[in-house]
Amino acid sequence: MDSSGEFKLEAVDNSYVTAMLKSEYSPTDLVIKYDATPKFSGSAETDVVWQEGAKGLDDDAEGMAWRDDPVSGYKCDQQVIRIRGNGNDDPSITCDEMGHAVGLLHGGSAYPALPSEDSRLGCMIAHGYSGDLGSNNVSNINGTYWANTWGNP
């Protein structure tokens, strides 16, 4: 979580993000570690950095995730998530943006392609919030990140 400067995450929004990561993403094979002093450059960049602020967001967007410093193809050395924040955050926004940061997509772009309101998409559905990450997303995360859990290359 960005802990200083223009995009510092307020305490209330930090707690929203932390709670969502714990309840939705920690039970998966994705390894989550808190970095109180994120690195924004060099070889030891923090993998996913959370920020707060409206700068760079579309007027109607509550959040956005993007690749910073693309390496090649879909690979990059850092994902940045910016939420509008100000204590107005909710689990659907943080869950959705983290989903994008780890490679999840919406509806027809998801793998496998699903209707945009399919409950298996959980927080990645087109409208509203299902209350969880969704079985399709859990399966995709576990299929992608299982090597980290077992220490495999």
Side-chain angles (χ1 to χ4, degrees):
M1 317 258 179
D2 200 344
S3 55
S4 64
E6 179 182 6
F7 299 113
K8 177 181 178 181
L9 215 61
E10 295 172 337
V12 65
D13 295 306
N14 186 314
S15 68
Y16 286 145
V17 171
T18 301
M20 180 278 305
L21 290 173
K22 183 176 182 180
S23 67
E24 300 302 325
Y25 285 86
S26 287
T28 71
D29 290 341
L30 183 67
V31 176
I32 298 174
K33 297 178 183 174
Y34 180 73
D35 184 354
T37 56
K39 311 297 183 281
F40 296 96
S41 63
S43 62
E45 284 188 357
T46 305
D47 292 333
V48 178
V49 174
W50 286 84
Q51 299 179 334
E52 179 177 323
K55 185 176 181 180
L57 298 181
D58 292 339
D59 289 343
D60 61 344
E62 292 297 321
M64 181 172 92
W66 69 90
R67 298 180 302 152
D68 185 38
D69 303 330
V71 175
S72 66
Y74 289 103
K75 295 182 179 182
C76 65
D77 60 356
Q78 186 172 69
Q79 289 282 336
V80 178
I81 299 172
R82 187 169 302 151
I83 56 174
R84 194 168 296 277
N86 298 319
N88 297 317
D89 201 10
D90 67 53
S92 65
I93 296 165
T94 55
C95 184
D96 177 273
E97 297 308 334
M98 183 65 179
H100 290 303
V102 300
L104 300 176
L105 299 170
H106 296 280
S109 298
Y111 181 81
L114 296 168
S116 62
E117 300 294 333
D118 193 301
S119 64
R120 292 173 289 175
L121 291 171
C123 63
M124 300 300 289
I125 64 173
H127 300 95
Y129 180 56
S130 69
D132 64 13
L133 186 55
S135 61
N136 185 69
N137 299 330
V138 169
S139 178
N140 284 332
I141 288 171
N142 290 345
T144 301
Y145 294 97
W146 72 270
N148 292 329
T149 303
W150 299 103
N152 295 324

